[in-house]
Amino acid sequence: MTTDLTTRPAPRGAAAPGRPWAWWQSGAGSLPEVRWAIAATGLFAAGGVCRLAGAPSWLWWGLYLSCYAAGGWEPGLDGLRALRERTLDVDLLMVAAAIGAAAIGQVFDGALLIVIFATSGALEAVATKRTADSVRTLLDLAPEKATRLDPAGREEVVETADLALGDVIVVRPGERIGADGQVVDGVSDVDQASITGEGLPVDKQAGDEVFAGTVNGAGVLRVRVGSPAGETVIARIVAMVEQASATKARAQLFIEKVEQRYSVVMVAATLALFVIPLALGQDLRGSLLRAMTFMIVASPCAVVLATMPPLLAAIATAGRHEVLVKSAVVMEQLADVTQVAFDKTGTLTEGRPDLTHIRALPGTSLSERELLTLAAAAEDGSEHPLGRAVTAAAHGKGLRLPQAAGFTAVPGRGVRAHVAGHLVEIGSPTHLLPETAPGAGVSRALVAELEDGGHTAVVMLLDGRPAAVLALADRVRPGAPDAVARLRALIPAPPVLLTGDNPRAAARLAAQTGITDVRAGLVPEHKVDAVRELHQQGARVALIGDGVNDAPALATAHTGIAMGDTGADLTLEAADAVITRDELAAVPTVIALARRARRLVIANLAIAAAFIAVLVAWDLLGDLPLPLGVAGHEGSTVIVGLNGLRLLRGAAWQRAAGDPTGRRP
């Protein structure tokens, strides 16, 4: 007989708030780009308020010009440096257009451009800082000190950086292991989820490999150092993330990809419109006015707004539904995704063991409910995740647990306790089912059947005789199969499962979620190789993960998406987008929303280009009055801006969630 048991994990606690001034001292507010952007925005807002309030023109002009100085000096300086290297970029073009706008009285337009570019630069600086900080945080996983045995067998505390190959270190219960190496003595269970992504601690004994930064369980281990500090798995993960971030091509918005040619053409045309008529005898004011009119009507204000509002509106809408998309570039990348790859533990699953079945063995007179009561009472004093899962299952069924006596836990083997007149032993089949034990054959066959199905099996003995086999597994997230199905409808290429877990557990999870392409037993560098292989096949891969071991692959992928509730700090920073409430259903929805935003960008670019073409032709071939040119330019800006902001409506997310293509029903 089989009993299905489920429990729901406790909610994760919220982090304590930091000091209110810490943001300015060491956070994003400490960056000069952020401070100048805030100053420029504040001056721009103050100028607008003064103008609307009817203040003297010199006051709001002064505020707007101060906004120019605060937000424009840095992009202007960068543009001049680029010009010195014979490159004309859009930053210098924007500053020139802003100055030109002020020269003919349109100071508001120029200040708006300055604020847009200053804010964009600040956001880029913040993203760079957070990634660098998270890489440094990852190094804290490996402890700074370790307990080393000298040749005489005495213990000494040393820096982990001073450990040499062949040194033997002592790792006590609850400590982080200080170096990659091999166990030479002791038995324990080690939580190595930060490296391999495995949801359950792994039993370690003499001859087994361990990794720096992983957490020792209840036993004491002696480990012979096998790698210097700079070559541990944790150090290699840091190096891979930094390398991927440095070598990954800088993604650009569509308009930025043509900025060089557009900038050169616009500047050349403006100079020509000023110089040629002047040389042909036209007066200075007329030549300057025509050139400035051309610069205003040809300036890419409408083009910038054609691109940004749909993407920013989509970002805001996603944010209201607890999906953080870090930039407009990322939103464009999400629209380009052609294949999705998933991590397993903590992404498709909840990341913790769950008691799924109790199999009573022949000859056992107790019911499964009674077996669960005894097992949970024996495990009540255990700190092992499997023991906590058994106890949680009993509490979930409302069972009253009797008091256990004589509780002992043997690392790597299991627990034993006296409960209600029975000696209860629960632990590894290898240690509790020797070949000569009564009923060992039947019990081992059942253990093999459960393990082949992707479960972790533990044996329960009553008074020295096998009584039951308990099956535990990491539970699939609610909605994961539906999210995978929606992605299959949205993206033609089948989803891929990339996991460090064992092939049997991976196959079981894949069968439950509808994934057919499974790649198991992957260490971090192998996940990176798998993502690169998919890229070489022409796919634009969105990788979804949560663990430190996923960070290099997230940084390598076309788009990295992190699960925010369970995600490690480095993972959240290496990712391009974060699902803060850990609902996988948000993945196909945000991709559909990004595709709709891209369609609006294309429509807006067509509108902006049409206005620019008409106004420029009028100015070149006829006599375009400056006020009419400004009105046409501003009108196109308003039209594309309002069109892009349509994605702010609440219906935009629901439409994307209800229709995999993101199109209107």
Side-chain angles (χ1 to χ4, degrees):
M1 296 176 63
T2 303
T3 302
D4 290 325
L5 305 163
T6 57
T7 56
R8 184 169 298 278
R12 186 179 180 181
R19 295 175 300 170
W21 60 86
W23 189 83
W24 285 99
Q25 292 179 331
S26 58
S30 65
L31 297 172
E33 296 89 345
V34 173
R35 294 184 174 185
W36 285 118
I38 291 174
T41 303
L43 290 166
F44 176 76
V49 170
C50 290
R51 185 177 183 181
L52 292 175
S57 60
W58 62 265
L59 177 58
W60 49 266
W61 261 85
L63 290 170
Y64 280 145
L65 293 178
S66 299
C67 169
Y68 276 54
W73 75 268
E74 191 169 24
L77 183 60
D78 291 340
L80 290 175
R81 288 171 179 165
L83 192 61
R84 189 172 58 187
E85 299 174 1
R86 299 181 181 181
T87 300
L88 187 62
D89 66 12
V90 78
D91 288 354
L92 186 58
L93 184 63
M94 288 298 96
V95 172
I99 294 173
I104 60 173
Q106 303 300 320
V107 68
F108 172 85
D109 297 339
L112 177 60
L113 275 179
I114 293 294
V115 168
I116 290 175
F117 272 78
T119 302
S120 175
L123 291 175
E124 183 177 351
V126 170
T128 302
K129 179 183 186 304
R130 288 177 64 87
T131 300
D133 290 345
S134 65
V135 169
R136 287 192 294 270
T137 300
L138 176 62
L139 293 173
D140 294 338
L141 284 176
E144 296 181 357
K145 298 182 181 296
T147 302
R148 182 175 63 186
L149 295 178
D150 65 13
R154 294 186 298 267
E155 294 184 2
E156 56 180 348
V157 178
V158 299
E159 300 286 337
T160 53
D162 295 334
L163 293 174
L165 297 181
D167 284 349
V168 176
I169 59 175
V170 178
V171 187
R172 292 186 167 81
E175 293 182 346
R176 289 190 179 272
I177 297 174
D180 287 2
Q182 188 177 59
V183 178
V184 295
D185 185 47
V187 176
S188 187
D189 51 280
V190 176
D191 180 358
Q192 53 188 38
S194 61
I195 302 296
T196 66
E198 293 174 286
L200 298 175
V202 179
D203 293 340
K204 299 292 184 180
Q205 56 187 353
D208 290 336
E209 184 181 19
V210 293
F211 306 107
T214 56
V215 181
N216 186 30
V220 177
L221 296 176
R222 284 179 170 81
V223 177
R224 178 173 287 112
V225 177
S227 300
E231 298 178 11
T232 63
V233 172
I234 283 289
R236 293 204 303 271
I237 289 176
V238 171
M240 283 188 290
V241 172
E242 292 176 333
Q243 182 181 12
S245 299
T247 59
K248 190 176 181 179
R250 180 181 177 270
Q252 294 177 309
L253 294 173
F254 174 79
I255 188 57
E256 291 177 344
K257 296 176 183 178
V258 295
E259 68 179 39
Q260 179 66 25
R261 294 179 181 177
Y262 188 89
S263 301
V264 171
V265 170
M266 181 176 167
V267 169
T270 301
L271 291 175
L273 281 175
F274 174 66
V275 173
I276 294 176
L278 193 64
L280 295 177
Q282 188 173 357
D283 64 285
L284 176 63
R285 177 177 175 78
S287 296
L288 180 61
L289 186 60
R290 179 181 288 269
M292 286 296 97
T293 301
F294 174 83
M295 175 173 281
I296 291 297
V297 300
S299 69
C301 301
V303 176
V304 170
L305 289 178
T307 303
M308 295 304 292
L311 299 174
L312 295 178
I315 290 173
T317 298
R320 289 202 307 267
H321 294 84
E322 300 184 61
V323 179
L324 170 63
V325 179
K326 294 186 177 180
S327 69
V329 171
V330 174
M331 189 59 76
E332 274 198 340
Q333 291 173 341
L334 284 168
D336 292 333
V337 168
T338 61
Q339 191 163 24
V340 175
F342 290 96
D343 171 50
K344 172 183 171 287
T345 305
T347 302
L348 288 171
T349 69
E350 294 182 342
R352 64 186 71 199
D354 184 60
L355 182 62
T356 58
H357 302 94
I358 293 179
R359 295 283 185 90
L361 294 172
T364 301
S365 60
L366 299 178
S367 68
E368 291 171 1
R369 189 178 181 88
E370 292 170 325
L371 289 169
L372 176 59
T373 300
L374 294 175
E379 292 278 14
D380 199 29
S382 174
E383 289 298 319
H384 195 282
L386 294 180
R388 292 198 297 268
V390 172
T391 305
H395 288 314
K397 294 182 73 68
L399 300 180
R400 295 178 60 87
L401 305 184
Q403 185 70 35
F407 172 83
T408 58
V410 181
R413 294 177 180 267
V415 302
R416 66 162 57 192
H418 290 276
V419 182
H422 295 281
L423 173 61
V424 181
E425 298 171 88
I426 304 174
S428 165
T430 302
H431 298 100
L432 294 185
L433 288 179
E435 296 291 342
T436 57
V442 175
S443 303
R444 286 182 178 276
L446 182 54
V447 167
E449 176 189 336
L450 292 170
E451 290 180 343
D452 288 342
H455 293 80
T456 297
V458 294
V459 175
M460 176 180 179
L461 305 186
L462 284 182
D463 302 319
R465 298 182 62 86
V469 178
L470 284 62
L472 300 100
D474 195 357
R475 186 168 53 182
V476 177
R477 283 189 183 277
D482 179 65
V484 172
R486 288 182 57 206
L487 284 169
R488 293 178 72 94
L490 181 65
I491 300 172
V496 182
L497 178 62
L498 307 177
T499 177
D501 215 339
N502 66 79
R504 291 176 302 189
R508 175 179 178 272
L509 184 278
Q512 291 177 305
T513 55
I515 297 177
T516 56
D517 189 347
V518 180
R519 309 181 190 190
L522 304 180
V523 295
E525 51 262 45
H526 293 162
K527 286 191 176 184
V528 171
D529 293 340
V531 171
R532 287 175 177 164
E533 179 185 343
L534 293 172
H535 284 170
Q536 291 169 0
Q537 295 171 1
R540 293 186 178 95
V541 179
L543 177 67
I544 308 166
D546 75 308
V548 169
N549 59 313
D550 299 319
L554 285 167
T556 303
H558 177 72
T559 308
I561 303 175
M563 306 296 283
D565 190 37
T566 57
D569 288 343
L570 180 68
T571 309
L572 301 182
E573 299 307 328
D576 302 299
V578 179
I579 304 174
T580 59
R581 60 180 176 180
D582 281 7
E583 288 190 9
L584 282 173
V587 175
T589 302
V590 76
I591 291 176
L593 183 69
R595 291 184 175 184
R596 187 164 180 234
R598 181 174 60 183
R599 289 196 296 274
L600 282 179
V601 167
I602 294 172
N604 278 350
L605 288 173
I607 294 171
F611 269 87
I612 290 175
V614 170
L615 293 173
V616 166
W618 191 346
D619 187 51
L620 294 177
L621 303 177
D623 186 14
L624 175 64
L626 178 59
L628 188 57
V630 171
H633 175 264
E634 294 298 325
S636 66
T637 301
V638 170
I639 290 172
V640 298
L642 293 177
N643 189 44
L645 294 178
R646 289 161 54 199
L647 290 183
L648 284 175
R649 295 182 299 177
W653 183 265
Q654 281 73 24
R655 184 176 294 121
D659 178 17
T661 64
R663 296 186 176 89
R664 289 180 178 274

